[in-house]
Amino acid sequence: MDQRTYNQYCATARTLDLVGERWTLLLIRELLTGPKRFGDLQAALRGLGTGLLAARLKHLEAEGLARKITLPPPARTPAYALTEAGAELAPAILALARWGLKWAMGQPRETEAFHPGWAVLGLRACFDPDAAANLRAVYEFHIDDEVFHARIQDGTIEALHGPAQHPDATVTIGTATFLRLTSQELTLAEAIESGEASATGDSAALCRLRNLFRLPPPHTRTATPPAP
């Protein structure tokens, strides 16, 4: 597959030459939360055909953004992971996510897929470091069958797929309710009070949880009227 180029000696254009093709940034989004097998990527990116997925992965490998690895035991299966260069795209992708929460989300469309695992990166995008000052806690989240956790340590966050070894608090919620949280129809406290979600564990950790993740208020994209 021929690589298209903007033919501009500009850092932005050169970056878009590498990651601007359709699906490429979403592949990097998936790999930001840890190595993934080919089938994992295919399941998370519905609509991306097998041939195009293989081509995009080959491109990321050729450009030094991703590499093939073998997962440790007991899996011992081939997978893909980001290189140092690929991982350093995280701030750009998190910035896009924050912009999208403010300017692009709105209500989910009927044709749109949602994967609960995408919330792992969402936690990082919405994390408020100031609210996490002097806090050391591990939170485990269950969204239907998906399990992930966040380790908070004095203003920093590490969010990963899978259960935590010793969570301080656990939150369980269904996908439909989680989407209502994302669209800011209700808060986590309201979901717990109504029984749509449950939370167990250390009361102090749960009290701090309500302020750790802040969604920007949604805005409507409208053209600015010309000055009179």
Side-chain angles (χ1 to χ4, degrees):
M1 180 181 294
D2 292 333
Q3 180 180 337
R4 292 184 288 186
T5 176
Y6 288 102
N7 284 317
Q8 294 182 10
Y9 187 60
C10 159
T12 303
R14 282 285 186 95
T15 302
L16 290 175
D17 282 346
L18 297 176
V19 300
E21 291 281 4
R22 193 163 185 251
W23 296 106
T24 303
L25 279 178
L26 293 184
L27 269 173
I28 294 171
R29 177 199 68 185
E30 293 301 314
L31 294 174
L32 279 172
T33 57
K36 301 288 189 303
R37 296 169 297 186
F38 189 94
D40 298 328
L41 294 168
Q42 200 167 31
L45 299 172
R46 297 175 187 172
L48 174 57
T50 302
L52 186 55
L53 172 56
R56 289 288 183 266
L57 288 169
K58 184 177 180 181
H59 167 74
L60 291 177
E61 284 187 85
E63 296 296 347
L65 299 175
R67 60 190 176 92
K68 289 179 182 176
I69 65 167
T70 299
L71 293 176
R76 289 186 178 150
T77 55
Y80 293 86
L82 292 176
T83 62
E84 180 183 3
E88 285 195 10
L89 285 164
I93 291 178
L94 292 175
L96 284 172
R98 284 187 286 267
W99 186 92
L101 287 167
K102 180 177 180 179
W103 292 104
M105 284 295 283
Q107 296 296 321
R109 304 179 185 120
E110 290 185 4
T111 56
E112 289 181 323
F114 173 74
H115 194 283
W118 295 336
V120 176
L121 208 61
L123 291 178
R124 293 170 59 183
C126 299
F127 179 63
D128 184 346
D130 294 334
N134 303 314
L135 173 64
R136 298 184 68 176
V138 178
Y139 297 93
E140 186 172 282
F141 299 91
H142 296 242
I143 303 180
D144 290 338
D145 295 331
E146 190 82 30
V147 182
F148 51 92
H149 66 278
R151 186 177 303 277
I152 312 297
Q153 185 166 343
D154 194 21
T156 65
I157 181 172
E158 181 185 30
L160 299 169
H161 288 283
Q165 288 189 345
H166 303 289
D168 296 289
T170 301
V171 175
T172 302
I173 191 168
T175 296
T177 302
F178 179 79
L179 289 175
R180 292 181 64 202
L181 293 178
T182 302
S183 62
Q184 304 188 51
E185 291 181 36
L186 80 168
T187 65
L188 179 60
E190 291 169 341
I192 292 172
E193 185 177 351
S194 67
E196 296 177 78
S198 64
T200 59
D202 181 76
S203 58
L206 287 170
C207 184
R208 295 287 298 271
L209 175 61
R210 70 184 66 180
N211 296 318
L212 292 179
F213 305 99
R214 297 185 183 276
L215 289 166
H219 286 58
T220 301
R221 302 187 308 276
T222 56
T224 303

